[in-house]
Coordinates of all heavy atoms in Angstrom, one line a residue:
M1 N -1.8 28.8 -79.9 CA -3.2 28.7 -80.5 C -3.3 27.5 -81.3 O -2.4 27.1 -82.0 CB -3.4 29.9 -81.3 CG -4.7 29.9 -82.0 SD -5.1 31.4 -83.0 CE -3.9 31.1 -84.3
K2 N -4.4 26.8 -81.2 CA -4.7 25.6 -82.0 C -5.8 26.0 -83.0 O -6.7 26.8 -82.6 CB -5.2 24.5 -81.2 CG -4.2 24.0 -80.1 CD -3.2 23.2 -80.8 CE -2.3 22.6 -79.8 NZ -1.2 21.8 -80.4
E3 N -5.8 25.5 -84.2 CA -6.8 25.8 -85.2 C -7.0 24.6 -86.1 O -6.1 23.9 -86.4 CB -6.2 27.0 -86.1 CG -7.2 27.4 -87.1 CD -6.7 28.6 -87.9 OE1 -6.5 29.7 -87.3 OE2 -6.4 28.5 -89.1
F4 N -8.3 24.4 -86.4 CA -8.6 23.4 -87.4 C -9.8 23.8 -88.2 O -10.6 24.7 -87.8 CB -8.9 22.0 -86.7 CG -10.0 22.0 -85.8 CD1 -11.3 21.7 -86.2 CD2 -9.9 22.3 -84.4 CE1 -12.4 21.7 -85.4 CE2 -11.0 22.3 -83.6 CZ -12.2 22.0 -84.0
T5 N -10.0 23.1 -89.4 CA -11.2 23.4 -90.2 C -12.0 22.2 -90.2 O -11.6 21.1 -90.0 CB -10.8 23.8 -91.6 OG1 -10.0 22.7 -92.2 CG2 -10.0 25.1 -91.7
Y6 N -13.3 22.4 -90.4 CA -14.3 21.3 -90.5 C -15.4 21.6 -91.5 O -15.8 22.8 -91.5 CB -14.9 21.0 -89.1 CG -15.8 19.9 -89.1 CD1 -15.4 18.6 -89.2 CD2 -17.2 20.1 -89.1 CE1 -16.2 17.5 -89.2 CE2 -18.1 19.0 -89.1 CZ -17.6 17.7 -89.2 OH -18.5 16.7 -89.2
I7 N -15.8 20.7 -92.3 CA -16.9 20.8 -93.2 C -18.1 20.2 -92.6 O -18.1 19.0 -92.2 CB -16.6 20.2 -94.6 CG1 -15.4 21.0 -95.2 CG2 -17.8 20.3 -95.5 CD1 -14.9 20.4 -96.5
I8 N -19.2 21.0 -92.4 CA -20.4 20.6 -91.8 C -21.1 19.5 -92.7 O -21.4 19.8 -93.9 CB -21.3 21.8 -91.5 CG1 -20.7 22.8 -90.6 CG2 -22.7 21.3 -90.9 CD1 -20.2 22.3 -89.3
T9 N -21.4 18.4 -92.1 CA -22.1 17.3 -92.8 C -23.6 17.2 -92.5 O -24.3 16.6 -93.2 CB -21.4 16.0 -92.6 OG1 -21.4 15.7 -91.2 CG2 -20.0 16.0 -93.1
D10 N -24.0 17.7 -91.3 CA -25.4 17.6 -90.9 C -26.3 18.4 -91.9 O -26.0 19.5 -92.3 CB -25.6 18.3 -89.5 CG -26.9 18.1 -89.0 OD1 -27.9 18.6 -89.5 OD2 -27.1 17.3 -88.0
K11 N -27.4 17.7 -92.4 CA -28.2 18.3 -93.4 C -28.9 19.6 -92.9 O -29.3 20.4 -93.8 CB -29.3 17.3 -93.8 CG -30.3 16.9 -92.7 CD -31.3 15.9 -93.2 CE -32.2 15.5 -92.1 NZ -33.3 14.8 -92.4
E12 N -29.0 19.8 -91.6 CA -29.6 21.0 -91.1 C -28.5 22.1 -90.8 O -28.9 23.2 -90.4 CB -30.3 20.7 -89.8 CG -31.4 19.7 -89.9 CD -32.6 20.2 -90.8 OE1 -32.9 21.4 -90.7 OE2 -33.2 19.4 -91.5
G13 N -27.3 21.8 -91.0 CA -26.2 22.8 -90.7 C -26.1 22.9 -89.2 O -26.4 22.0 -88.4
I14 N -25.5 24.0 -88.7 CA -25.4 24.3 -87.3 C -26.8 24.8 -86.8 O -27.1 26.0 -87.0 CB -24.3 25.2 -86.9 CG1 -22.9 24.6 -87.3 CG2 -24.3 25.6 -85.4 CD1 -21.7 25.5 -87.0
H15 N -27.6 24.0 -86.2 CA -28.9 24.4 -85.8 C -29.0 24.4 -84.3 O -28.0 24.1 -83.6 CB -30.0 23.5 -86.4 CG -29.8 22.1 -86.2 ND1 -30.5 21.4 -85.3 CD2 -29.0 21.2 -86.9 CE1 -30.1 20.1 -85.3 NE2 -29.2 19.9 -86.3
A16 N -30.1 24.7 -83.7 CA -30.2 25.0 -82.2 C -29.7 23.9 -81.3 O -28.9 24.2 -80.4 CB -31.7 25.3 -81.9
R17 N -30.1 22.6 -81.5 CA -29.7 21.6 -80.6 C -28.2 21.4 -80.6 O -27.5 21.5 -79.5 CB -30.4 20.3 -80.9 CG -30.1 19.2 -79.8 CD -30.5 17.8 -80.3 NE -29.9 17.4 -81.6 CZ -28.7 17.1 -81.9 NH1 -27.8 17.1 -80.9 NH2 -28.3 16.8 -83.1
P18 N -27.5 21.1 -81.7 CA -26.1 20.9 -81.6 C -25.3 22.2 -81.3 O -24.3 22.2 -80.7 CB -25.7 20.4 -83.0 CG -26.8 20.8 -83.9 CD -28.0 20.9 -83.1
A19 N -25.9 23.4 -81.6 CA -25.2 24.6 -81.3 C -25.2 24.8 -79.8 O -24.2 25.1 -79.2 CB -25.9 25.8 -81.9
G20 N -26.3 24.4 -79.1 CA -26.4 24.5 -77.7 C -25.4 23.5 -77.0 O -24.7 23.9 -76.0
E21 N -25.3 22.3 -77.6 CA -24.4 21.3 -77.0 C -22.9 21.8 -77.2 O -22.1 21.6 -76.4 CB -24.6 20.0 -77.7 CG -25.9 19.3 -77.3 CD -26.1 19.0 -75.9 OE1 -25.1 18.6 -75.2 OE2 -27.2 19.3 -75.3
L22 N -22.6 22.4 -78.4 CA -21.3 22.9 -78.7 C -20.9 24.0 -77.7 O -19.8 24.0 -77.2 CB -21.2 23.4 -80.1 CG -19.8 23.9 -80.6 CD1 -18.8 22.8 -80.5 CD2 -19.9 24.4 -82.0
V23 N -21.9 24.9 -77.4 CA -21.6 26.0 -76.4 C -21.3 25.4 -75.0 O -20.4 25.8 -74.4 CB -22.8 26.9 -76.3 CG1 -22.8 27.8 -75.1 CG2 -22.9 27.7 -77.6
K24 N -22.1 24.4 -74.6 CA -21.9 23.7 -73.3 C -20.5 23.2 -73.2 O -19.8 23.3 -72.2 CB -22.9 22.6 -73.1 CG -24.2 23.1 -72.7 CD -25.1 21.9 -72.4 CE -26.6 22.3 -72.4 NZ -27.5 21.1 -72.2
L25 N -20.1 22.5 -74.3 CA -18.7 21.9 -74.3 C -17.6 23.0 -74.3 O -16.7 22.9 -73.6 CB -18.6 21.0 -75.6 CG -17.2 20.4 -75.8 CD1 -16.8 19.5 -74.6 CD2 -17.1 19.6 -77.1
A26 N -17.8 24.0 -75.1 CA -16.8 25.1 -75.1 C -16.6 25.8 -73.8 O -15.5 26.2 -73.4 CB -17.2 26.1 -76.2
K27 N -17.7 25.9 -73.0 CA -17.7 26.5 -71.7 C -17.0 25.7 -70.7 O -16.6 26.3 -69.6 CB -19.1 26.9 -71.2 CG -19.8 28.0 -72.0 CD -21.1 28.3 -71.4 CE -21.7 29.6 -72.1 NZ -23.1 29.9 -71.5
V28 N -16.8 24.4 -70.9 CA -16.0 23.6 -70.0 C -14.6 24.1 -69.9 O -13.9 23.9 -68.9 CB -16.1 22.1 -70.4 CG1 -15.1 21.2 -69.7 CG2 -17.5 21.6 -70.3
Y29 N -14.1 24.6 -71.0 CA -12.7 25.0 -71.1 C -12.4 26.5 -70.8 O -13.3 27.3 -71.1 CB -12.1 24.6 -72.4 CG -12.2 23.1 -72.7 CD1 -13.3 22.6 -73.3 CD2 -11.2 22.3 -72.2 CE1 -13.4 21.2 -73.5 CE2 -11.3 20.9 -72.3 CZ -12.4 20.4 -73.0 OH -12.5 19.0 -73.1
A30 N -11.3 26.8 -70.2 CA -10.9 28.2 -70.0 C -10.5 28.9 -71.2 O -10.6 30.2 -71.3 CB -9.8 28.2 -68.9
S31 N -10.1 28.2 -72.2 CA -9.6 28.8 -73.5 C -10.7 29.6 -74.2 O -11.9 29.3 -74.1 CB -9.1 27.8 -74.4 OG -7.9 27.2 -73.9
T32 N -10.3 30.6 -75.0 CA -11.2 31.3 -75.9 C -11.4 30.4 -77.1 O -10.4 29.9 -77.7 CB -10.5 32.7 -76.3 OG1 -10.3 33.4 -75.1 CG2 -11.4 33.4 -77.2
V33 N -12.6 30.3 -77.5 CA -13.0 29.4 -78.6 C -13.7 30.3 -79.6 O -14.8 30.8 -79.3 CB -13.8 28.2 -78.3 CG1 -14.1 27.3 -79.5 CG2 -13.1 27.4 -77.2
S34 N -13.2 30.4 -80.8 CA -13.8 31.2 -81.9 C -14.1 30.4 -83.1 O -13.3 29.5 -83.4 CB -13.0 32.4 -82.3 OG -12.7 33.2 -81.2
V35 N -15.2 30.6 -83.8 CA -15.6 29.9 -85.0 C -15.7 31.0 -86.1 O -16.3 32.0 -85.9 CB -17.0 29.2 -84.8 CG1 -17.4 28.5 -86.1 CG2 -16.9 28.2 -83.7
F36 N -15.1 30.7 -87.2 CA -15.1 31.6 -88.4 C -15.7 31.0 -89.6 O -15.5 29.8 -89.8 CB -13.6 31.9 -88.8 CG -12.8 32.7 -87.7 CD1 -12.2 32.0 -86.7 CD2 -12.8 34.0 -87.7 CE1 -11.5 32.6 -85.7 CE2 -12.1 34.7 -86.7 CZ -11.4 34.0 -85.7
K37 N -16.5 31.8 -90.3 CA -17.1 31.3 -91.6 C -17.2 32.6 -92.5 O -17.8 33.6 -92.1 CB -18.5 30.7 -91.4 CG -19.0 30.1 -92.7 CD -20.5 30.0 -92.8 CE -21.3 31.2 -92.7 NZ -21.9 31.8 -93.9
D38 N -16.6 32.5 -93.6 CA -16.7 33.6 -94.6 C -16.3 34.9 -94.0 O -17.0 35.9 -94.3 CB -18.1 33.6 -95.3 CG -18.4 32.4 -96.1 OD1 -17.4 31.7 -96.5 OD2 -19.6 32.1 -96.3
G39 N -15.3 35.0 -93.2 CA -14.8 36.3 -92.7 C -15.6 36.7 -91.4 O -15.3 37.7 -90.8
K40 N -16.7 36.0 -91.0 CA -17.4 36.3 -89.8 C -16.9 35.5 -88.7 O -16.5 34.3 -88.9 CB -18.9 36.0 -90.0 CG -19.6 37.0 -90.9 CD -21.1 36.9 -90.7 CE -21.8 36.2 -91.9 NZ -23.2 36.1 -91.7
K41 N -16.9 36.1 -87.5 CA -16.4 35.4 -86.3 C -17.4 35.3 -85.2 O -18.2 36.3 -85.1 CB -15.2 36.2 -85.8 CG -14.6 35.7 -84.5 CD -13.5 36.6 -84.0 CE -13.0 36.2 -82.7 NZ -11.9 37.1 -82.2
A42 N -17.5 34.2 -84.6 CA -18.5 34.0 -83.5 C -17.7 33.4 -82.3 O -16.8 32.6 -82.4 CB -19.6 33.1 -83.9
D43 N -18.2 33.8 -81.1 CA -17.7 33.2 -79.8 C -18.4 31.9 -79.7 O -19.7 31.9 -79.6 CB -18.0 34.2 -78.7 CG -17.5 33.7 -77.3 OD1 -17.2 32.5 -77.2 OD2 -17.5 34.5 -76.4
A44 N -17.7 30.8 -79.6 CA -18.3 29.5 -79.5 C -19.0 29.2 -78.1 O -19.6 28.2 -77.9 CB -17.3 28.4 -79.8
K45 N -18.9 30.2 -77.2 CA -19.5 30.1 -75.9 C -20.8 30.8 -75.9 O -21.4 31.0 -74.8 CB -18.6 30.6 -74.8 CG -17.3 29.7 -74.7 CD -16.4 30.1 -73.6 CE -15.1 29.2 -73.6 NZ -14.3 29.6 -72.5
K46 N -21.3 31.3 -77.0 CA -22.5 32.0 -77.1 C -23.4 31.5 -78.3 O -23.0 31.6 -79.4 CB -22.3 33.5 -77.4 CG -21.5 34.1 -76.2 CD -21.3 35.6 -76.4 CE -20.4 36.0 -75.2 NZ -20.7 37.3 -74.7
V47 N -24.5 30.9 -77.9 CA -25.3 30.2 -78.9 C -25.8 31.1 -80.0 O -25.8 30.7 -81.2 CB -26.5 29.4 -78.2 CG1 -27.6 30.3 -77.7 CG2 -27.1 28.4 -79.2
F48 N -26.2 32.3 -79.7 CA -26.7 33.2 -80.7 C -25.6 33.6 -81.7 O -25.9 33.9 -82.9 CB -27.4 34.4 -80.1 CG -28.7 34.1 -79.5 CD1 -28.8 34.2 -78.1 CD2 -29.8 33.6 -80.2 CE1 -30.0 33.9 -77.5 CE2 -31.0 33.3 -79.6 CZ -31.1 33.4 -78.2
G49 N -24.4 33.7 -81.2 CA -23.2 34.0 -82.1 C -23.1 32.9 -83.1 O -22.9 33.1 -84.3
L50 N -23.1 31.6 -82.7 CA -23.0 30.5 -83.6 C -24.1 30.4 -84.6 O -23.9 30.2 -85.8 CB -22.9 29.2 -82.8 CG -21.6 28.8 -82.0 CD1 -21.8 27.6 -81.2 CD2 -20.5 28.7 -83.0
M51 N -25.3 30.6 -84.1 CA -26.5 30.5 -85.0 C -26.4 31.7 -86.0 O -26.9 31.5 -87.2 CB -27.8 30.6 -84.2 CG -28.0 29.5 -83.2 SD -28.3 27.9 -83.9 CE -29.8 28.2 -84.7
G52 N -25.9 32.8 -85.6 CA -25.8 34.0 -86.5 C -24.9 33.8 -87.7 O -25.0 34.5 -88.7
L53 N -24.0 32.8 -87.6 CA -23.1 32.5 -88.7 C -23.8 31.9 -89.9 O -23.4 32.0 -91.0 CB -22.0 31.6 -88.3 CG -20.9 32.2 -87.4 CD1 -19.9 31.1 -87.0 CD2 -20.2 33.4 -88.0
G54 N -25.0 31.3 -89.7 CA -25.8 30.7 -90.7 C -25.1 29.6 -91.5 O -25.2 29.5 -92.7
V55 N -24.4 28.7 -90.7 CA -23.7 27.7 -91.3 C -24.6 26.5 -91.8 O -25.4 26.0 -91.0 CB -22.6 27.1 -90.4 CG1 -21.8 26.0 -91.0 CG2 -21.7 28.2 -89.9
K56 N -24.5 26.2 -93.1 CA -25.3 25.1 -93.7 C -24.5 23.9 -94.0 O -23.2 24.0 -94.0 CB -26.0 25.7 -94.9 CG -26.8 26.9 -94.7 CD -28.0 26.7 -93.9 CE -28.9 27.9 -93.8 NZ -29.7 27.9 -92.6
Q57 N -25.1 22.9 -94.4 CA -24.4 21.6 -94.8 C -23.5 21.9 -96.0 O -23.8 22.7 -96.9 CB -25.4 20.6 -95.2 CG -24.8 19.3 -95.6 CD -25.8 18.2 -96.1 OE1 -26.9 18.6 -96.6 NE2 -25.5 17.0 -95.9
G58 N -22.3 21.4 -95.9 CA -21.3 21.6 -96.9 C -20.4 22.8 -96.8 O -19.4 22.9 -97.5
M59 N -20.7 23.6 -95.8 CA -19.9 24.8 -95.6 C -18.7 24.5 -94.6 O -18.8 23.6 -93.8 CB -20.7 25.9 -94.9 CG -21.7 26.5 -95.9 SD -22.6 27.9 -95.0 CE -23.5 28.5 -96.4
E60 N -17.6 25.2 -94.9 CA -16.4 25.0 -94.0 C -16.3 26.0 -93.0 O -16.5 27.2 -93.2 CB -15.2 25.0 -94.9 CG -13.9 24.7 -94.1 CD -12.6 24.7 -95.0 OE1 -12.1 25.8 -95.3 OE2 -12.2 23.6 -95.4
I61 N -16.0 25.6 -91.7 CA -15.8 26.5 -90.6 C -14.3 26.3 -90.2 O -13.7 25.3 -90.4 CB -16.7 26.3 -89.5 CG1 -16.6 24.9 -88.9 CG2 -18.2 26.7 -89.9 CD1 -17.4 24.7 -87.6
T62 N -13.8 27.4 -89.6 CA -12.5 27.3 -88.9 C -12.7 27.5 -87.4 O -13.4 28.5 -87.1 CB -11.5 28.4 -89.5 OG1 -11.4 28.1 -90.9 CG2 -10.2 28.3 -88.8
V63 N -12.1 26.7 -86.6 CA -12.2 26.8 -85.2 C -10.8 27.2 -84.6 O -9.9 26.5 -84.9 CB -12.7 25.5 -84.5 CG1 -12.8 25.7 -83.0 CG2 -14.1 25.1 -85.1
Q64 N -10.8 28.3 -83.8 CA -9.5 28.7 -83.2 C -9.7 28.6 -81.7 O -10.7 29.0 -81.2 CB -9.2 30.1 -83.5 CG -8.6 30.3 -84.9 CD -8.2 31.7 -85.1 OE1 -8.4 32.6 -84.3 NE2 -7.5 32.0 -86.3
V65 N -8.7 28.0 -81.0 CA -8.8 27.8 -79.6 C -7.5 28.4 -79.0 O -6.4 28.0 -79.5 CB -8.9 26.3 -79.2 CG1 -9.1 26.2 -77.7 CG2 -10.1 25.7 -79.9
E66 N -7.6 29.3 -78.0 CA -6.4 29.9 -77.5 C -6.5 30.0 -76.0 O -7.5 30.5 -75.5 CB -6.2 31.3 -78.1 CG -4.9 31.9 -77.7 CD -4.5 33.1 -78.5 OE1 -5.4 33.5 -79.3 OE2 -3.5 33.7 -78.3
G67 N -5.5 29.4 -75.3 CA -5.6 29.5 -73.8 C -4.8 28.3 -73.2 O -4.1 27.6 -73.9
D68 N -4.8 28.3 -71.9 CA -4.1 27.3 -71.1 C -4.4 25.8 -71.5 O -3.6 25.0 -71.4 CB -4.2 27.5 -69.6 CG -3.6 28.8 -69.2 OD1 -2.7 29.3 -69.9 OD2 -4.0 29.3 -68.1
D69 N -5.7 25.6 -71.8 CA -6.1 24.2 -72.1 C -6.5 24.0 -73.5 O -7.3 23.2 -73.9 CB -7.3 23.8 -71.1 CG -8.4 24.8 -71.2 OD1 -8.4 25.7 -72.0 OD2 -9.4 24.6 -70.4
E70 N -5.8 24.8 -74.4 CA -6.2 24.8 -75.8 C -6.1 23.5 -76.5 O -6.9 23.1 -77.4 CB -5.4 25.9 -76.6 CG -3.9 25.6 -76.7 CD -3.2 26.8 -77.2 OE1 -3.6 28.0 -77.1 OE2 -2.1 26.5 -77.8
A71 N -5.1 22.7 -76.2 CA -4.9 21.4 -76.8 C -6.1 20.4 -76.5 O -6.7 19.8 -77.4 CB -3.6 20.7 -76.4
A72 N -6.4 20.3 -75.3 CA -7.6 19.5 -74.9 C -8.9 20.0 -75.4 O -9.7 19.2 -75.9 CB -7.6 19.4 -73.3
A73 N -9.1 21.3 -75.4 CA -10.3 21.9 -75.9 C -10.4 21.7 -77.4 O -11.5 21.3 -77.9 CB -10.3 23.4 -75.6
A74 N -9.4 21.9 -78.1 CA -9.4 21.7 -79.6 C -9.7 20.3 -79.9 O -10.6 20.0 -80.8 CB -8.1 22.2 -80.2
Q75 N -9.1 19.3 -79.2 CA -9.4 17.9 -79.5 C -10.8 17.6 -79.2 O -11.5 16.9 -80.0 CB -8.5 17.1 -78.7 CG -8.7 15.6 -78.9 CD -8.4 15.1 -80.3 OE1 -7.3 15.5 -80.8 NE2 -9.3 14.4 -80.9
A76 N -11.4 18.0 -78.1 CA -12.7 17.7 -77.7 C -13.7 18.4 -78.7 O -14.7 17.7 -79.1 CB -13.0 18.2 -76.3
L77 N -13.5 19.6 -79.1 CA -14.4 20.3 -80.0 C -14.4 19.6 -81.4 O -15.4 19.4 -82.0 CB -14.0 21.7 -80.1 CG -14.3 22.6 -78.9 CD1 -13.6 23.9 -78.9 CD2 -15.8 22.8 -78.7
E78 N -13.2 19.2 -81.9 CA -13.1 18.5 -83.2 C -13.8 17.2 -83.1 O -14.6 16.9 -84.1 CB -11.6 18.3 -83.6 CG -11.5 17.9 -85.0 CD -10.0 18.0 -85.5 OE1 -9.1 18.1 -84.7 OE2 -9.9 17.9 -86.7
T79 N -13.7 16.5 -82.0 CA -14.4 15.2 -81.9 C -15.9 15.4 -81.9 O -16.7 14.7 -82.5 CB -13.9 14.5 -80.6 OG1 -12.6 14.2 -80.7 CG2 -14.7 13.2 -80.4
F80 N -16.3 16.5 -81.1 CA -17.8 16.8 -81.1 C -18.3 17.1 -82.5 O -19.4 16.6 -82.9 CB -18.0 18.0 -80.2 CG -19.5 18.4 -80.2 CD1 -20.4 17.8 -79.3 CD2 -19.9 19.4 -81.0 CE1 -21.7 18.2 -79.4 CE2 -21.2 19.8 -81.1 CZ -22.1 19.2 -80.3
L81 N -17.6 17.9 -83.2 CA -18.1 18.3 -84.6 C -18.2 17.0 -85.5 O -19.2 16.9 -86.2 CB -17.1 19.3 -85.2 CG -17.2 20.7 -84.6 CD1 -16.1 21.6 -85.2 CD2 -18.5 21.3 -84.9
K82 N -17.2 16.2 -85.4 CA -17.2 14.9 -86.2 C -18.4 14.0 -85.9 O -19.0 13.4 -86.7 CB -15.9 14.2 -86.1 CG -14.7 14.9 -86.8 CD -13.4 14.1 -86.6 CE -12.3 14.8 -87.3 NZ -11.0 14.2 -87.0
E83 N -18.7 14.0 -84.6 CA -19.8 13.1 -84.2 C -21.2 13.7 -84.3 O -22.2 12.9 -84.3 CB -19.5 12.7 -82.7 CG -18.3 11.8 -82.5 CD -18.0 11.5 -81.0 OE1 -18.6 12.1 -80.1 OE2 -17.1 10.7 -80.8
N84 N -21.3 15.0 -84.3 CA -22.6 15.6 -84.3 C -23.0 16.6 -85.4 O -24.1 16.9 -85.6 CB -22.7 16.4 -83.0 CG -22.7 15.5 -81.7 OD1 -23.6 14.9 -81.4 ND2 -21.5 15.5 -81.1
L85 N -22.0 17.1 -86.1 CA -22.3 18.0 -87.2 C -21.6 17.6 -88.5 O -21.6 18.3 -89.5 CB -21.9 19.4 -86.8 CG -22.8 20.1 -85.8 CD1 -22.2 21.3 -85.2 CD2 -24.2 20.4 -86.4

């Protein structure tokens, strides 16, 4: 399992457009991708789950990736977050 934390810098937080793009990216990989915030967990392959976390600017999330392609998936997701959120 790979895990990393990220602090959201986008002034809108995790909103519809980047959430949709994040879901598309997560679905490319076979690994299970989960996003945690304040004890709540969301499947990163489901846009409503991500939106339901209510992540705003300045909040920290934890991303866990588990599966056969976890290293590549974690790297791609971390890069996406840094570039988009």
